[in-house]
Amino acid sequence: MLPLEKARIGASIVAGYLGAALPYVAIIAAIVMLAAARGRPLLALARALRGATLRNQRATLLAGVAGMGTIGAAALAIEAAGPGAVVWIWVAALVGAVFAWTEVHLAINATDEPAQRSPWTTMRAGLGRSGGALAWVHALALLIAAAYVGVLFQAEQAAEFARTLSAVPRLTAIAVVGVTAAAIAFVPPVRRQLVVIAPVGLGLIMLAGLVVLALDLEGTSAAVTAIFEHAFGSKAAEGVAAAGLLVTLQVVLVRATYASEAGLGTLALSTEDVEDAASLPGRAAWIPAITVAVVGTITGLVVLVTGASNHELAGEKLFLPLTHLERTGAVPSEHGQAFVLPEDTRLEENHAYDMVMLANPRGHKLGKIIAGDNTVLLPVWGITEGASTVYLRHNDPAKAHPSFDLEIPCTAKTIERGGIKWLELRPVDPETDLAKLARVRNLDGPYVRLGDFPLRGLVMRSLGTRAGSEPVEHLSMVEGARDPDAPDNPTLRTIVTLGFAGPYVAGDEAPWAIVGAEGYAPELGALVHLRLSSPARGLELGYLNDYDKLSLPPWEFLAGAQTVILRHKEDPARDLRVPVQHEVKAGRLQFSSAVEGFAFKDLAKLESYEDRPYLLAPPYRFTAEVHGDTRLPAQFAGRRALIPSESYRDLSLRPEGLYRANPRDVLQSDMVGPVVDHDGAGVVASALARRLPRPVNLLLGVTGLVLAAGTIACWTRHGARAGAELLVNRSWLRIGVSLLLLGLLVVAVDLPLERLLGPADTAITAVLVLHALILVLLTPRLARQASK
């Protein structure tokens, strides 16, 4: 196994153990701390919620955490654990309140200097020499968390929130967040303004959520019922794929920590500018109550009431041309090939129209391979003009996908044989033997990409019969006289036999579109972001080649895959995951096992498992423009037409290298969707966007960027403090670490949430577990202080 793969697998195992331990450690630690403090955290929380003083101190703490973690935490928890997660969010808020009160109380009692308050000062003061070592480990873990959770996660979610609500491009959103965060971090007057703006901004988003709930009181009541049913009723087992309450708590605790930062030690760092610390612990306990319980409940209800989710179906797996097909059948007639026109045709009797038959971008089976000459001969027709590529298709059903077509670039020239002109296609590479390729690889062909076929269509009334009925009249179309100067072309009947699509009215723009899902109704003209996801048990697409490698199309998004699924024949719960590595070879993306001593051929020895692996693919993302149903077939009335930005004709097949896959091809695989491409804060944004007017959505999108910028700025300061704790406490070092963390925003531009969330969850879990254990070690000190 490669060293990098060993490290990845080892990190995955460690993350698994940390995650499994988190619910036990967090809850037991909270109980121990609550007992040691004689219940003061909850009493202080009650007083803080009633109090009306020290508003600036309360706002200072809130300003540091009121970011995208606060907005998206409930949505992320519900995505993973179902509606019942909201109940466990309340439990997590109580646990967080105990952690927050304890860490701030210990910090302000460890030193008289506000600027020295930190979890590390507390550790050194309460645990002596071992406290210094633990402080160093905690600072390192917190610095890593600052990078993943404080910068990358916040920026990604801010971009998602603004993109959904305000159509702000991802790059623009992250650039705005970066500049604003830098100003907050390095310009004190701007930082002071954040203390005022952040609570107001968070309140504005929550007010918008309450408006959404008020507009649908019946739906809100149903959502509340669903929350308790999923938490305690017969549906409780559905949380986190029925993995149980402990796994649900693990997910919810991590998500709650994204929202409040309670238990990480950062709330203690946020008090360094506050002189009067008398009620700071109570104010700190107030933070989880607001950011986790209140905000989490409102956003969770909004998501449930509106039906927004990270698996919201956006379209059918139907890809159709947005032009009216003037054909319900093809029949012979005394005038030649005739098309029976549909009843809703726009064409009129006794009129002539310029029409077109569309060629298949995969090519048409035409001509034949001349084995001895290694060429393909085609008739010289207008539709063969410009032909320069031969395609060979696989006969094996496992390789029948369009992206497995073998593309062979050729040179073309006109020759004469037997007094007849032919178009001769010869492979550019003289080593490519067409006949041998077709024979050895069991390929079908040749297929040649042809041009569209224009025709002059005459509309007339004809008499036809239907099974079991009397003859009926209908409108039909036949081909009119051809222009004597037009290029020579085959008969219309031959065009139909070759598989051309149509006829369509010439001149009509004919973009191809995905048929929108029923009930999915984004604003007309909007750009929507969609994705197709891998099935849970891996893609059917691909095959095991002769070199024991899983061979797939060389699509860029597939190259990000790291795992294959070994499917159990009877019990999906017993499926195995195997890490893989890839290479691009012979025009294919080829995956091999990264586990030392295991090859895919060894599957033949496992009686209970299928004999091939299935790739667990990353999501495929694309953008589409929203159109109405005007040009969709009648059975899809009321649906949206979603036109992808990529051209359906551009297959971009190349012998070597990766390329951007086309939605048309990916839709023909067993990828799931398309669904709306959003997660976390994006789901909340989508929920708000569908119920609120556009001006309000624009304001909320900008507000989300400001909130994220404030949280990123605070996290960069935390990271700078952690860096100083690790190395040397110098101002230049703090500035350097802050700039380095802000520089990570460049990475966030192309970093999707599914790749970020795993490392971010691991980082925050590691800090939370470590700090909880340290706080437990400090409970004797806490008990002595509580007894005074």
Side-chain angles (χ1 to χ4, degrees):
M1 190 188 306
L2 297 176
L4 183 60
E5 295 298 333
K6 289 183 179 179
R8 181 164 64 85
I9 294 171
S12 178
I13 294 172
V14 172
Y17 281 119
L18 284 172
L22 177 60
Y24 298 100
V25 172
I27 294 174
I28 293 173
I31 294 172
V32 170
M33 287 184 281
L34 190 61
R38 300 184 179 184
R40 289 173 63 186
L42 298 185
L43 295 174
L45 172 62
R47 288 195 296 270
L49 292 175
R50 293 197 305 267
T53 59
L54 300 173
R55 288 190 175 86
N56 283 340
Q57 294 178 22
R58 183 171 58 206
T60 298
L61 290 170
L62 183 59
V65 299
M68 286 299 102
T70 302
I71 302 301
L76 286 169
I78 290 171
E79 288 169 12
V86 174
V87 169
W88 306 115
I89 282 174
W90 303 335
V91 174
L94 280 176
V95 172
V98 175
F99 273 91
W101 185 93
T102 303
E103 68 180 76
V104 172
H105 175 81
L106 289 171
I108 63 175
N109 283 279
T111 177
D112 294 329
E113 295 292 331
Q116 297 299 317
R117 291 177 192 144
S118 75
W120 313 302
T121 302
T122 302
M123 293 173 205
R124 285 193 295 269
L127 299 174
R129 184 175 299 177
S130 61
L134 288 172
W136 194 92
V137 175
H138 179 272
L140 177 61
L142 189 64
L143 181 58
I144 296 171
Y148 278 109
V149 180
V151 177
L152 294 176
F153 172 78
Q154 294 289 336
E156 194 281 336
Q157 287 286 274
E160 188 79 3
F161 192 76
R163 183 184 72 169
T164 305
L165 281 170
S166 309
V168 177
R170 188 181 182 92
L171 178 60
T172 303
I174 292 178
V176 169
V177 167
V179 172
T180 308
I184 294 170
F186 297 115
V187 183
V190 177
R191 186 160 62 248
R192 287 192 290 271
Q193 291 300 315
L194 174 70
V195 172
V196 178
I197 294 173
V200 173
L202 186 60
L204 179 63
I205 295 175
M206 289 305 98
L207 177 61
L210 290 173
V211 170
V212 170
L213 298 179
L215 291 174
D216 189 358
L217 293 177
E218 184 178 347
T220 303
S221 176
V224 172
T225 301
I227 286 170
F228 286 99
E229 281 187 354
H230 278 259
F232 305 114
S234 60
K235 299 182 179 181
E238 296 178 10
V240 195
L245 177 58
L246 283 175
V247 179
T248 300
L249 281 173
Q250 173 190 333
V251 170
V252 172
L253 284 168
V254 171
R255 300 293 176 256
T257 308
Y258 276 94
S260 69
E261 300 178 22
L264 301 179
T266 54
L267 290 178
L269 292 171
S270 298
T271 67
E272 62 181 352
D273 294 331
V274 182
E275 294 290 340
D276 185 1
S279 60
L280 268 179
R283 302 300 178 183
W286 181 84
I287 297 301
I290 295 299
T291 61
V292 178
V294 176
V295 176
T297 301
I298 293 174
T299 55
L301 283 171
V302 168
V303 167
L304 293 172
V305 166
T306 59
S309 74
N310 69 329
H311 52 266
E312 181 183 357
L313 189 64
E316 310 282 355
K317 294 190 80 171
L318 292 173
F319 201 55
L320 306 174
L322 284 187
T323 186
H324 199 275
L325 176 62
E326 300 293 349
R327 170 184 179 181
T328 60
V331 295
S333 74
E334 67 268 24
H335 302 288
Q337 181 71 62
F339 298 115
V340 179
L341 299 183
E343 293 182 2
D344 60 345
T345 182
R346 298 169 295 173
L347 308 183
E348 299 180 6
E349 184 181 356
N350 298 324
H351 282 68
Y353 298 90
D354 288 327
M355 309 294 292
V356 64
M357 301 286 289
L358 299 179
N360 188 336
R362 290 185 70 189
H364 298 266
K365 196 169 186 179
L366 181 65
K368 62 179 181 178
I369 297 175
I370 310 300
D373 201 24
N374 196 30
T375 59
V376 172
L377 290 186
L378 305 174
V380 178
W381 289 333
I383 58 173
T384 61
E385 183 179 354
S388 61
T389 305
V390 170
Y391 298 94
L392 298 177
R393 298 184 187 177
H394 290 269
N395 286 314
D396 185 344
K399 308 172 186 178
H401 191 275
S403 290
F404 286 129
D405 293 353
L406 190 63
E407 178 187 18
I408 303 165
C410 297
T411 58
K413 71 175 182 178
T414 303
I415 64 170
E416 186 172 327
R417 288 189 181 180
I420 301 176
K421 288 186 177 181
W422 299 90
L423 183 67
E424 179 188 79
L425 299 180
R426 185 182 298 275
V428 173
D429 181 1
E431 300 297 320
T432 301
D433 188 324
L434 295 173
K436 185 177 179 180
L437 268 177
R439 183 179 67 256
V440 172
R441 297 196 187 183
N442 189 26
L443 302 175
D444 182 33
Y447 290 83
V448 181
R449 188 182 293 187
L450 304 175
D452 295 338
F453 175 76
L455 72 146
R456 185 71 171 168
L458 302 178
V459 179
M460 59 183 63
R461 190 162 295 276
S462 302
L463 191 65
T465 60
R466 295 176 181 171
S469 64
E470 296 295 324
V472 293
E473 286 190 341
H474 57 76
L475 289 181
S476 63
M477 174 182 288
V478 297
E479 184 180 12
R482 297 185 180 181
D483 188 334
D485 297 328
D488 188 25
N489 266 319
T491 65
L492 181 56
R493 181 175 180 81
T494 300
I495 291 294
V496 172
T497 303
L498 286 172
F500 279 67
Y504 301 101
V505 176
D508 277 4
E509 288 191 18
W512 286 57
I514 297 168
V515 177
E518 194 168 354
Y520 179 63
E523 183 179 349
L524 295 178
L527 289 177
V528 293
H529 305 279
L530 308 176
R531 71 171 176 239
L532 291 149
S533 301
S534 173
R537 302 186 72 194
L539 283 174
E540 296 278 356
L541 181 65
Y543 59 93
L544 205 57
N545 64 23
D546 296 336
Y547 301 98
D548 198 38
K549 295 181 179 181
L550 181 61
S551 185
L552 292 108
W555 294 339
E556 285 177 336
F557 80 97
L558 290 182
Q562 298 180 326
T563 307
V564 295
I565 303 294
L566 308 183
R567 292 185 182 178
H568 193 273
K569 292 179 181 178
E570 298 176 357
D571 185 4
R574 296 172 63 185
D575 288 351
L576 301 175
R577 293 178 172 233
V578 174
V580 291
Q581 54 200 7
H582 74 269
E583 63 178 336
V584 180
K585 192 172 183 179
R588 297 286 182 266
L589 190 56
Q590 300 185 6
F591 291 87
S592 57
S593 169
V595 177
E596 188 174 354
F598 175 79
F600 294 144
K601 62 183 178 182
D602 296 332
L603 280 167
K605 304 174 186 176
L606 302 178
E607 294 182 1
S608 300
Y609 288 84
E610 296 188 22
D611 58 2
R612 56 152 290 190
Y614 297 84
L615 190 73
L616 194 61
Y620 168 77
R621 292 179 161 86
F622 64 100
T623 302
E625 186 176 346
V626 180
H627 288 248
D629 62 352
T630 306
R631 294 188 290 177
L632 286 176
Q635 65 265 35
F636 299 119
R639 304 279 194 97
R640 294 289 195 254
L642 310 174
I643 303 177
S645 56
E646 292 87 351
S647 168
Y648 83 99
R649 289 173 177 265
D650 185 15
L651 292 179
S652 301
L653 294 171
R654 296 195 299 272
E656 298 290 341
L658 300 173
Y659 63 91
R660 165 73 181 173
N662 189 289
R664 178 180 184 271
D665 289 346
V666 183
L667 282 167
Q668 294 184 55
S669 72
D670 60 324
M671 294 283 281
V672 179
V675 299
V676 182
D677 182 26
H678 56 207
D679 290 282
V683 174
V684 178
S686 178
L688 296 172
R690 64 186 63 190
R691 298 294 175 90
L692 298 174
R694 185 168 179 79
V696 174
N697 291 329
L698 291 173
L699 175 60
L700 295 179
V702 174
T703 302
L705 293 180
V706 174
L707 291 178
T711 305
I712 290 173
C714 288
W715 268 103
T716 58
R717 296 183 71 197
H718 301 336
R721 289 284 302 274
E725 181 69 24
L726 287 169
L727 299 172
V728 60
N729 192 3
R730 294 287 187 272
S731 59
W732 59 266
L733 178 64
R734 289 194 184 191
I735 294 173
V737 173
S738 297
L739 292 174
L740 182 63
L741 289 172
L742 289 173
L744 291 175
L745 290 172
V746 176
V747 179
V749 174
D750 296 316
L751 189 62
L753 185 63
E754 68 271 2
R755 286 177 55 192
L756 170 62
L757 206 54
D761 281 352
T762 301
I764 210 164
T765 301
V767 179
L768 188 56
V769 170
L770 176 62
H771 197 226
L773 293 174
I774 291 170
L775 290 177
V776 169
L777 293 176
L778 289 167
T779 50
R781 183 181 181 89
L782 178 64
R784 288 194 299 270
Q785 293 172 357
S787 64
K788 293 179 181 180

